[in-house]
């Protein structure tokens, strides 16, 4: 008994000092109050850090003790995070590919079949004199055939043909002042070259590039919306998982409240759990996306090889991985925050 | 330590659990609160720990009026009170050590301090050898003593016990009461609610008797 109560002096608050008769205690407490308050303040900071460390490891231990349930929740979160990540990567790769294509204003003239290389060169010289054009490059039928043979990989098929099926091509480079602006002017220019007797087909090169970029912008916006939707899904998944966790530990919460645990103290391990769930979900997403990339890379490289490209899928960068895991952690924490406080309030000691 | 000033408690259904109850428990004093079941003993304890709020009248604990305590201040009040329950309220998925350590974990004590204090408290109730056991493996009397160790491990100035001997045989009951008296001798204010008049008849402490929510007798220390 004595040994138990003697220790009182070391850590107890002044109020709880009760050795000896009551009046003496009051006086003793009063004289010691200032130092006691100081040590209480330093204790509370130490206690705060200790409690965080405790909640940090305790919540991790809780998840560790139920690995199947934890993995299942993390996998669901992982799928929700992997979807927008994968779509983002597709977009990024598409942008990488299309960035290689020049977007400058060009008109490609496909000349009629019967126009000889000689006539094509003469036309090119004539067109170079036009003030709206800064240059004209000519691709003769032979050159076109060579290029096609090189890029298409259909050399054997071409050899089977009796004659060259490709027309001569002139590429007109528009002067910068006509680039993009003055639609009407460039439209007139297009009409003018189309009227030339040697010309079979004339197209603005940038038009389809513009369309492609517009399509990609639409897809990009859709991916952003999807990411937003799936982020909300992560909030709900974590919130619901922790609602069940709170219910499962209502005894513990009730007893803790009875013996003076603050709401923050009770909430803390659940918030950490939410963070762990989210971060683990991020890791799951990383695994899924990396695996998918690895599986896709072979076929994509074979496809690229057919186009004489050494294009290959790049994996998730370190920054993107970090972003993915921390986004998961933040969403998990937020989901826990939104759910746990509400459900804790419902558990009161009776 | 505890001051009740014309306290009434009326439940939403209109049932009046307490009527105009006034008493004072001095610092370092020990008292028994008796009466038939339903007389309002538990209500008195619940009001002190702010598990319920009084409908009328004032209550002060440790010099602080309970009406001024907000939701944020509630944990601090409860940390200054050790509580022992008839059904122990132990956590069955945790060892005896972890159960007793809970108040210290809440207070944020270091691992070393926690261990030292839990061992001292368990030693006091004679269960040091059971610290690694789970509550279900203990007898009712042992579980109650674990509950007592948990109530005093953080050295609260006030100890409340609600029918602590309700499930115990007479001999164990006397041991538990002897523990409370020991704590009281070291300055802890103690209020024990019990209907076991036979048990406390020969014990040398003040007895407050409730009947139908009213304080009908206040026999001073013999």
């Amino acid at each position: 008994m004595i040994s138990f109560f003697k220790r009182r002096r070391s850590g107890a608050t002044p109020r709880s000092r009760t050795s000896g008769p009551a009046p003496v205690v009051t006086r003793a407490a009063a004289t010691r109050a200032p130092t006691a308050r100081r040590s209480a303040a330093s204790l509370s900071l130490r206690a705060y850090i200790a409690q965080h460390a405790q909640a940090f490891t305790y919540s991790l231990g809780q998840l560790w003790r139920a690995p199947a349930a934890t993995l299942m929740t993390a996998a669901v979160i992982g799928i929700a995070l992997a979807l927008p990540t994968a779509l983002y990567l597709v977009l990024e790769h598409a942008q990488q590919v299309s960035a290689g294509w020049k977007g400058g204003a060009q008109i490609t003239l496909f000349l009629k079949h019967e126009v000889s290389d000689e006539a094509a060169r003469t036309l090119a010289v004539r067109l170079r004199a036009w003030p709206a054009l800064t240059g004209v490059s000519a691709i003769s039928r032979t050159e076109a055939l060579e290029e096609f043979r090189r890029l298409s990989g259909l050399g054997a098929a071409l050899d089977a043909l009796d004659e060259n099926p490709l027309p001569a091509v002139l590429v007109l480079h528009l002067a910068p002042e006509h680039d993009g602006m003055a639609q009407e002017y460039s439209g007139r220019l297009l009409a003018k070259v189309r009227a030339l007797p040697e010309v079979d087909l004339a197209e603005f090169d940038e038009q389809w590039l513009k369309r492609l970029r517009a399509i990609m912008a639409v897809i990009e916006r859709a991916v952003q919306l999807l990411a937003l939707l799936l982020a909300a899904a992560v909030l709900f998944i974590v919130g619901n998982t922790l609602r069940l966790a709170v219910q499962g530990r209502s005894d513990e919460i009730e007893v803790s409240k009875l013996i003076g645990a603050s709401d923050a103290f009770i909430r803390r391990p659940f918030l950490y759990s939410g963070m762990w769930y989210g971060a683990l979900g991020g890791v799951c997403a990383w695994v899924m996306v990396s695996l998918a990339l690895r599986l896709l890379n072979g076929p994509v490289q074979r496809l690229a090889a057919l186009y004489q490209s050494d294009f290959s899928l790049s994996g998730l960068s370190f920054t993107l991985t970090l972003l993915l895991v921390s986004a998961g952690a933040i969403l998990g924490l937020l989901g826990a925050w939104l759910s746990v406080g509400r459900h804790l309030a419902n558990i009161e000691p009776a | 330590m505890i001051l009740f000033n014309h306290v009434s408690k009326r439940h939403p259904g209109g049932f009046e659990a307490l009527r105009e109850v006034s008493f004072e428990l001095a610092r370092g004093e020990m008292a028994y609160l008796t009466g038939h079941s339903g007389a309002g003993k538990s209500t008195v304890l619940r009001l002190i720990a702010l598990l319920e709020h009084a409908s009328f009248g004032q209550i002060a604990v440790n010099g602080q009026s309970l009406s001024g305590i907000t939701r944020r201040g509630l944990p601090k009040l409860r940390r200054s009170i050790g509580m022992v329950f008839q059904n122990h309220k132990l956590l069955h998925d945790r060892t005896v050590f972890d159960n007793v350590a809970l108040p210290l974990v809440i207070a944020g004590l270091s691992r070393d301090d926690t261990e030292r204090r839990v061992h001292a408290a368990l030693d006091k109730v004679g269960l040091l050898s059971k610290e690694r056991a789970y509550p279900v493996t203990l007898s009712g009397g042992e579980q109650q003593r674990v509950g007592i160790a948990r109530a005093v491990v953080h050295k609260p100035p006030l100890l409340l016990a609600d029918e602590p001997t309700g499930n115990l045989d007479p001999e164990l009951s006397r041991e538990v009461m002897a523990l409370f008296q020991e704590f009281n001798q070291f300055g802890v204010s103690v209020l024990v609610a019990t209907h076991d008049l036979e048990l406390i008849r020969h014990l040398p402490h003040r007895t407050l008797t409730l009947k139908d929510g009213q304080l009908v007798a206040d026999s001073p220390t013999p």
Side-chain angles (χ1 to χ4, degrees), chain A residues 1 8 18 51 252 260 263, chain B residues 79 94 106 124 155 186:
Chain A
M1 188 69 193
R8 201 165 259 276
T18 43
Q51 285 179 343
E252 185 183 336
D263 289 348
Chain B
R79 283 201 287 271
R94 299 200 187 187
I106 288 169
K124 183 69 216 89
K155 300 167 185 179
F186 285 88

Side-chain angles (χ1 to χ4, degrees), chain A residues 1 4-5 7-8 15-16 18 22 47 51 58 252 254-255 257-258 260-263 265 348-350, chain B residues 27 46 51 62 71 75 78-79 83 85 89 91 94 105-108 120 124 150 152 155 182-183 186-187:
Chain A
M1 188 69 193
F4 174 59
F5 274 101
R7 293 213 174 87
R8 201 165 259 276
R15 245 201 344 274
S16 63
T18 43
Q51 285 179 343
Y58 176 74
E252 185 183 336
E254 187 193 326
V255 169
K257 280 190 176 181
L258 267 178
S262 64
D263 289 348
F265 176 85
E348 277 298 328
Chain B
R27 198 174 285 272
R46 294 170 59 78
L51 295 168
N62 215 347
R71 194 180 156 78
R78 291 195 184 144
R79 283 201 287 271
M83 281 202 277
F85 308 93
K89 287 203 190 289
L91 299 175
R94 299 200 187 187
V105 172
I106 288 169
K124 183 69 216 89
R150 186 183 65 189
V152 299
K155 300 167 185 179
E182 269 185 84
F183 290 126
F186 285 88

Side-chain angles (χ1 to χ4, degrees), chain A residues 10 152 330:
Chain A
S10 56
S152 70
I330 290 167

Side-chain angles (χ1 to χ4, degrees), chain B residues 22-33:
Chain B
S22 298
F23 71 90
E24 182 175 1
L25 187 78
R27 198 174 285 272
E29 194 181 2
M30 177 164 176
Y32 298 108
L33 189 61

